[in-house]
Amino acid sequence: MALASKRIGLLVPSSNSTVEVEFYRALPPDVSLHVARLPITQVNPESIAGMADSLETEAKKLASADVDVIVLGAAAPSFLKGMGYDREMSQRIARATGKPATTASTALLQSLAALGASRVALGTAYSTTVNDIAIAFLRANAIDVVKAECLGYVDNLEIGHLDVQSAYDLGRRIACPEAQAIVFLCTNWQSMAIIDRLERDTGLPVLSSAQFSIWAGLKTIGYSARIDGYGRLLREMPALAGV
């Protein structure tokens, strides 16, 4: 078997047991995945902020594998400090490695722009505290959160054990006529397997953290072929919009 022609480097929370699985399932065979981990077990503001302490060190490890792009595959660490913090994290990675870089939060904003959606129904696995920070980040970036619900989890291992049906059920609860898209935040919360079904049942595009991180990583390295089974975003592979 020929080696992959492109490589995506992925920075993940150390206790995340989901995002790598969802990436592996969706990535085309000619794109390989290479992973480094940032320490966290509890999804609270203090622990989330602490993940950034080892950002450059772990990013450099990925760069040593000559990856083509580095994706911070975690939403909360890139929206924690409000508007522009996602770009700050990307810039730190790029300066440390010389590689193109993006974050899950940047990818979310770009995917919403690519789909022409500015009003969203938001579902997260987070606590109310972290969920409110996510809502504030979106609103600061001109995204109207018309409905929101969080599952209230702080222990990241518990989030990783959630059944994918929990995402579908929450998605049905938050779907509403005012929303132009449903958004799931938290890369450790399984959701990609239900995206197609939820889109069919609600008539809305569905965006999840792993899905739009995959899209942004692939678009950054010049990949544009459709990927079926994970919603409109990966099926249509729209151009990467600047935000």
Side-chain angles (χ1 to χ4, degrees), residues 13-15 38-54 76-77 80 85 130 154-156:
S14 59
S15 53
L38 303 171
I40 190 173
T41 58
Q42 302 296 299
V43 186
N44 56 49
E46 297 75 23
S47 297
I48 295 166
M51 291 176 66
D53 294 344
S54 56
L80 181 66
Y85 190 59
V130 177
V154 174
D155 188 302
N156 205 30

Side-chain angles (χ1 to χ4, degrees), residues 10-134:
L10 184 66
L11 290 165
V12 305
S14 59
S15 53
N16 189 312
S17 57
T18 298
V19 65
E20 293 150 286
V21 176
E22 295 199 320
F23 260 74
Y24 281 124
R25 287 174 179 165
L27 284 179
D30 57 338
V31 178
S32 60
L33 183 67
H34 308 268
V35 180
R37 310 190 90 79
L38 303 171
I40 190 173
T41 58
Q42 302 296 299
V43 186
N44 56 49
E46 297 75 23
S47 297
I48 295 166
M51 291 176 66
D53 294 344
S54 56
L55 186 68
E56 285 86 355
T57 298
E58 296 304 315
K60 287 177 181 178
K61 293 177 184 177
L62 290 175
S64 70
D66 197 24
V67 295
D68 297 288
V69 63
I70 296 176
V71 178
L72 175 54
S78 50
F79 66 59
L80 181 66
K81 297 184 180 180
M83 185 176 182
Y85 190 59
D86 58 315
R87 298 290 184 175
E88 180 183 328
M89 298 291 271
S90 296
Q91 290 163 5
R92 284 177 57 181
I93 295 168
R95 283 195 301 267
T97 65
K99 299 291 184 179
T102 191
T103 75
S105 295
T106 306
L108 170 58
L109 297 177
Q110 290 174 321
S111 62
L112 288 169
L115 296 180
S118 60
R119 300 190 307 275
V120 304
L122 176 66
T124 79
Y126 306 135
S127 66
T128 301
T129 298
V130 177
N131 194 63
D132 287 346
I133 296 171

